[in-house]
Amino acid sequence: MKLDKEKILSLYMLCLLPAAGFAGFWSIVGFRWQIVDFPFLAYAAVTVVFASSFRIKLPRNNVHLTASDALLVFGMLVYGIEAAILLSVLESTVNSLQLRRSGVWMKPRTVLFNIQLSAIAMLLSGLVYEIVRTRLVDFDTLPGFLLTLTAVSLAMLAVNALVISPFLSVKNNRSVFINLREYASESTFVHVIGVFTGGLIFKTLLHIDLTMLIAALGLFSVGYWSYRRNISEVKNASADLREAERRRAEQAESHVSELEQYVWELEKTADELRESRERFKHAAYHDDLTGLPNRSYFIQKITDLLGESSNAGTPRFAVMFLDLNRFKTLNDSLGHSMGDLLITHVGARLTNSLRRGCMVGRFGGDEFAILFDSVDSRESIVRIAAEIARQLAEPFSLNGRQVFSSVSIGIAFDDARYDRAEEVLRDSDIAMYYAKENQKSFEVFDQHMHDTAVSLLDLETDLRTAIRRKQFELFYQPIIDLDNVRIAGFEALVRWSHPTRGLIPPNDFIPVAESTGLIIPLTVELLRDACWQIKKWQQSSNADLMVSVNLSGTHFGHPGLVDQIAEILAETGVQPCCLKLEITESAVMNDAEGAIAMLKRIKETGVKISIDDFGTGYSSLSYLHRFPIDTLKVDRSFVNTMEEGSENGEIVRTVIALARALKLEVIAEGIETVHQLHQLRILGCELGQGYLFARPLPVAEIDRMLSGDLPWKNVVSDSEFGVVARNGELTQLKWTQ
């Protein structure tokens, strides 16, 4: 129904458009431009911008008496019908826009209708004015003048009523005749007053200068606006007083009932507070998911036990800290809802399997704790821990699916050194992590564990400081071309000379750096230093030397690795082919498909890639040929024990043959004897490094080595054999220190 009404209104306005368009066209074509002077412009500005602001609402009516009609009729009498039509269109447009800005909602269609109506009404009223003035009456006489104004007012009323009534009838679903009657009764006075006021101004103008009239109208406008403002303020103040009085009356009436309601609510609130206090207390000391006691409750209970046991002088309680193994894997694969279900089942199984007097709690995530408030012996607690581990290894049935889990348990017994409950929980947590790291079901805490944990924490702190202060130094071990026993490049190996703890081996601080993420900024700095150094050696020795830098598995999976490599290459100017990144076999096999994608991205930079410690991991040949690598590095454990006919010797032979088939270089590390060098050359190994040639050395000693001071320069004799043959014939080797 609404759609039909909109169509009818649009069609009705379309029917009015030719008449309105004709009125606008006729007024523009017939407009006398010679009348445009300052008085006309002042009059036009007042009519278009300010006329609609002079409005008085008539009592018991929905219409306002404005100055618009009077000024438009005045313009018609003075400047002609064309000027009046143009000004009426402009006045209607400006008035509609002002109403929209003041907050009165008005559709664009209504604005257009008002413009059409003003043009048509002023055109027809002007035509009636011309006909009556020129053909029916003597306009210069008072009776003729009054008859003309009467005709114009009636014409204006009729045109407005006939055009507006159908529009309102369709819009409001009312009869056309009802709208005609209401409009005529409400607007007759408005149009008559407006037309006759305009005529009166016109007659007045014949005896008064126009400029004086405009000045008088300006003064009148200021007075009128002041009057309207004062009236508005009085009305607003009166309305505010009435509203305040009404509110006070309502408040007085409701005061008694509010007091009664307040008393009732106080009683109800007191009951609710008692209940909520109990709920909050339970929530503060219990886990939401399982309903088991939480960490805060454990701390309170252990604190009470410490107070009791401190007087006894002997251990009286024990704490177990439990952590489910591989819980994150289950959570990620089956979803958090299944993970929560497993947690509730574990809590229930623990509660049901323990004797009275034991308190089972959950600390969050996959962490549980058990408090034994009395201990028969340490052995009995250990047996209980083993039984708990066995029971939790049994499958759990979760929504029809069997799920297996296991647990790591740390045990801490009451001791005289404990002053706070947090210390007991801390030590049981440390023991749990020892069990997890050693892949055991449980561990009993001893002081050495705590000392090690503190030492690791101190080491981490010192490590952060060392990275910030650049306390690390690179040592370089030469990589030798086994054909001519010349330097082909170097492996960069980090050393940390701690200011108080002395030289710390890489095996002690590299795992800490990897676990804390510090390995990434550390490796970036070392990689940059190695590239700058190899660039200097290339320039001083005029040789195409290369440098190998070890890359941890943590850094290998970092998304910004390739950008870091590219940035360092651009900064140092090192040729990408002179930089080789060594990645362990296990690091690339953790996620073979992901490793292939990362290796390809690294290779796009031009950097070479070596698989370090090859043979110690579990590489699959189906993946090995897909890895975009350049070098296989034989682990020192095979080279050190390589003897003719031994199993490790066959492994080295196989690795070299495999590399040759895949068109890869082979580097043997850990060469310590001439015999090992001899065997590797016979097998066709291209490159090698080890203590036979040089230990990892600081930069200064490498500088002397590159100047010609090679400790192995006489390792191959000057006999007729020359370079050792690859056919396994007898080779003369000697070593001169």
Side-chain angles (χ1 to χ4, degrees):
M1 186 62 186
K2 184 178 180 181
L3 182 60
D4 295 338
K5 182 191 298 184
E6 298 293 330
K7 287 184 177 180
I8 294 173
L9 291 175
S10 299
L11 182 62
Y12 179 67
M13 291 180 61
L14 187 62
C15 294
L16 295 177
L17 188 59
F22 172 76
F25 176 76
W26 184 72
S27 63
I28 294 173
V29 172
F31 184 74
R32 293 177 291 120
W33 295 98
Q34 62 272 19
I35 67 174
V36 178
D37 53 11
F38 175 74
F40 173 80
L41 293 176
Y43 154 72
V46 171
T47 302
V48 172
V49 180
F50 302 108
S52 60
S53 300
F54 296 96
R55 62 175 62 236
I56 300 174
K57 187 178 184 304
L58 298 180
R60 297 186 299 275
N61 281 298
N62 294 323
V63 294
H64 291 76
L65 180 63
T66 67
S68 301
D69 289 346
L71 291 175
L72 290 174
V73 170
F74 168 77
M76 181 176 66
L77 297 177
V78 176
Y79 298 109
I81 302 173
E82 296 84 355
I85 294 175
L86 290 176
L87 291 176
S88 67
V89 170
L90 292 174
E91 188 276 335
S92 178
T93 304
V94 172
N95 184 34
S96 298
L97 294 178
Q98 287 178 345
L99 289 174
R100 283 171 61 95
R101 288 186 60 187
S102 65
V104 178
W105 171 243
M106 185 180 296
K107 294 182 179 179
R109 181 184 62 202
T110 304
V111 176
L112 180 60
F113 176 76
N114 290 338
I115 296 171
Q116 291 177 324
L117 174 61
S118 62
I120 296 171
M122 189 53 64
L123 173 64
L124 295 179
S125 300
L127 293 177
V128 169
Y129 161 69
E130 287 293 332
I131 293 172
V132 173
R133 184 179 68 85
T134 58
R135 298 184 182 182
L136 299 180
V137 300
D138 184 1
F139 186 71
D140 294 329
T141 65
L142 181 59
F145 178 72
L146 295 176
L147 286 174
T148 303
L149 293 181
T150 303
V152 171
S153 61
L154 293 176
M156 190 175 293
L157 174 64
V159 173
N160 278 278
L162 292 174
V163 175
I164 291 176
S165 297
F167 184 85
L168 294 177
S169 298
V170 176
K171 185 177 179 181
N172 301 327
N173 294 324
R174 298 180 66 189
S175 170
V176 175
F177 299 103
I178 295 176
N179 287 323
L180 276 172
R181 186 175 67 250
E182 289 183 355
Y183 187 84
S185 62
E186 294 178 351
S187 303
T188 300
F189 178 75
V190 172
H191 290 298
V192 170
I193 291 298
V195 172
F196 274 84
T197 302
L200 179 61
I201 296 173
F202 171 73
K203 281 296 184 181
T204 305
L205 182 62
L206 296 177
H207 305 286
I208 302 175
D209 181 70
L210 179 60
T211 305
M212 295 295 295
L213 178 62
I214 293 174
L217 288 175
L219 291 174
F220 172 77
S221 301
V222 172
Y224 174 78
W225 276 335
S226 300
Y227 163 77
R228 287 289 302 274
R229 181 177 178 182
N230 291 333
I231 290 297
S232 177
E233 290 177 353
V234 170
K235 288 182 178 179
N236 291 336
S238 178
D240 291 342
L241 287 173
R242 287 195 298 271
E243 179 66 19
E245 199 64 33
R246 184 187 62 81
R247 290 179 178 174
R248 282 196 294 270
E250 291 179 352
Q251 290 175 356
E253 291 176 359
S254 62
H255 185 65
V256 175
S257 59
E258 287 180 356
L259 286 176
E260 295 175 351
Q261 180 69 18
Y262 179 70
V263 172
W264 179 81
E265 288 181 353
L266 280 178
E267 295 175 351
K268 181 181 178 182
T269 302
D271 295 336
E272 291 176 348
L273 283 174
R274 283 190 292 271
E275 295 175 0
S276 63
R277 187 182 299 111
E278 296 300 324
R279 289 196 301 269
F280 288 150
K281 184 177 180 181
H282 185 273
Y285 288 103
H286 290 80
D287 174 54
D288 290 337
L289 180 62
T290 61
L292 296 173
N294 60 14
R295 187 183 190 91
S296 299
Y297 194 75
F298 262 68
I299 290 175
Q300 179 178 318
K301 295 296 291 184
I302 295 173
T303 301
D304 295 340
L305 290 172
L306 284 174
E308 297 173 4
S309 62
S310 61
N311 297 327
T314 56
R316 295 185 54 188
F317 67 90
V319 174
M320 288 186 187
F321 201 101
L322 297 82
D323 185 88
L324 298 182
N325 300 323
R326 300 179 65 254
F327 177 74
K328 185 179 184 302
T329 302
L330 181 141
N331 225 12
D332 293 342
S333 59
L334 300 182
H336 290 278
S337 59
M338 290 291 282
D340 290 345
L341 190 59
L342 176 62
I343 291 296
T344 57
H345 278 62
V346 170
R349 186 173 293 184
L350 287 173
T351 303
N352 295 331
S353 63
L354 294 173
R355 58 180 172 81
R356 290 184 178 274
C358 299
M359 185 172 69
V360 179
R362 178 181 179 236
F363 286 2
D366 58 345
E367 294 179 343
F368 291 85
I370 303 174
L371 174 61
F372 299 86
D373 58 4
S374 62
V375 176
D376 297 333
S377 64
R378 291 175 177 264
E379 291 75 12
S380 63
I381 298 299
V382 169
R383 287 195 298 271
I384 293 174
E387 178 62 20
I388 290 173
R390 186 193 66 77
Q391 291 191 19
L392 293 184
E394 296 292 328
F396 292 87
S397 179
L398 308 179
N399 293 337
R401 177 192 292 271
Q402 276 200 339
V403 175
F404 289 86
S405 182
S406 60
V407 68
S408 299
I409 304 173
I411 306 172
F413 291 95
D414 178 27
D415 192 275
R417 67 176 180 274
Y418 291 132
D419 296 322
R420 300 169 59 244
E422 290 83 353
E423 297 172 354
V424 183
L425 294 177
R426 176 202 64 199
D427 289 350
S428 62
D429 191 12
I430 292 174
M432 181 273 295
Y433 276 105
Y434 264 83
K436 188 178 289 289
E437 290 176 1
N438 296 321
Q439 297 183 352
K440 293 183 178 181
S441 298
F442 59 87
E443 281 281 2
V444 178
F445 175 80
D446 59 44
Q447 188 59 36
H448 172 71
M449 295 180 181
H450 179 256
D451 295 341
T452 302
V454 172
S455 176
L456 289 176
L457 180 61
D458 293 340
L459 183 63
E460 178 186 344
T461 303
D462 293 345
L463 189 60
R464 294 180 185 275
T465 303
I467 293 175
R468 187 172 63 254
R469 297 180 179 177
K470 301 184 182 301
Q471 295 178 351
F472 294 94
E473 180 183 0
L474 281 176
F475 279 44
Y476 296 88
Q477 185 175 33
I479 298 176
I480 307 301
D481 186 334
L482 299 186
D483 274 341
N484 51 33
V485 203
R486 293 179 181 175
I487 298 176
F490 301 93
E491 180 180 2
L493 300 167
V494 64
R495 296 291 184 266
W496 180 15
S497 182
H498 193 278
T500 58
R501 302 168 67 172
L503 189 65
I504 301 178
N507 290 340
D508 288 350
F509 67 84
I510 291 298
V512 177
E514 289 184 337
S515 63
T516 58
L518 296 174
I519 191 66
I520 294 176
L522 174 61
T523 304
V524 170
E525 289 301 318
L526 297 178
L527 185 61
R528 181 179 287 106
D529 292 345
C531 288
W532 279 118
Q533 188 60 56
I534 201 65
K535 180 74 173 180
K536 293 178 183 177
W537 284 336
Q538 288 175 343
Q539 293 172 348
S540 62
S541 64
N542 197 24
D544 293 331
L545 300 174
M546 51 79 66
V547 64
S548 295
V549 179
N550 290 283
L551 193 66
S552 71
T554 302
H555 200 175
F556 179 67
H558 191 268
L561 172 61
V562 177
D563 293 335
Q564 293 168 351
I565 295 172
E567 180 182 347
I568 291 173
L569 291 175
E571 177 184 341
T572 59
V574 171
Q575 292 296 322
C577 61
C578 296
L579 174 62
K580 182 180 291 185
L581 298 179
E582 295 190 5
I583 307 168
T584 62
E585 184 181 5
S586 58
V588 296
M589 288 306 299
N590 283 337
D591 178 13
E593 294 296 336
I596 291 173
M598 178 59 79
L599 291 172
K600 288 181 178 179
R601 291 184 60 201
I602 295 175
K603 286 291 290 182
E604 290 174 358
T605 66
V607 171
K608 292 187 177 182
I609 301 172
S610 173
I611 299 298
D612 196 11
D613 300 336
F614 186 77
T616 61
Y618 47 90
S619 292
S620 170
L621 294 181
S622 63
Y623 281 110
L624 186 60
H625 79 279
R626 295 174 56 193
F627 289 148
I629 58 176
D630 303 282
T631 306
L632 293 180
K633 199 166 187 181
V634 183
D635 186 67
R636 67 178 65 250
S637 61
F638 300 122
V639 176
N640 287 340
T641 58
M642 185 178 64
E643 301 292 343
E644 186 176 356
S646 68
E647 180 179 337
N648 286 341
E650 291 301 319
I651 292 176
V652 174
R653 185 192 306 273
T654 302
V655 171
I656 294 174
L658 176 62
R660 187 176 299 167
L662 296 176
K663 297 181 175 57
L664 302 176
E665 284 184 334
V666 179
I667 300 178
E669 61 178 352
I671 303 175
E672 297 182 357
T673 65
V674 176
H675 177 70
Q676 293 168 359
L677 173 63
H678 171 69
Q679 294 295 324
L680 290 169
R681 295 179 67 175
I682 290 176
L683 294 176
C685 184
E686 299 156 320
L687 302 170
Q689 63 185 100
Y691 289 175
L692 176 64
F693 306 107
R695 294 174 177 271
L697 301 171
V699 172
E701 295 190 31
I702 297 295
D703 289 337
R704 289 195 296 272
M705 188 181 294
L706 290 176
S707 64
D709 185 12
L710 302 178
W712 63 88
K713 59 185 177 181
N714 295 322
V715 68
V716 178
S717 69
D718 296 330
S719 68
E720 59 181 354
F721 291 103
V723 177
V724 176
R726 298 298 187 185
N727 58 9
E729 295 179 358
L730 180 63
T731 303
Q732 290 186 349
L733 300 172
K734 68 177 181 178
W735 170 254
T736 58
Q737 196 65 30

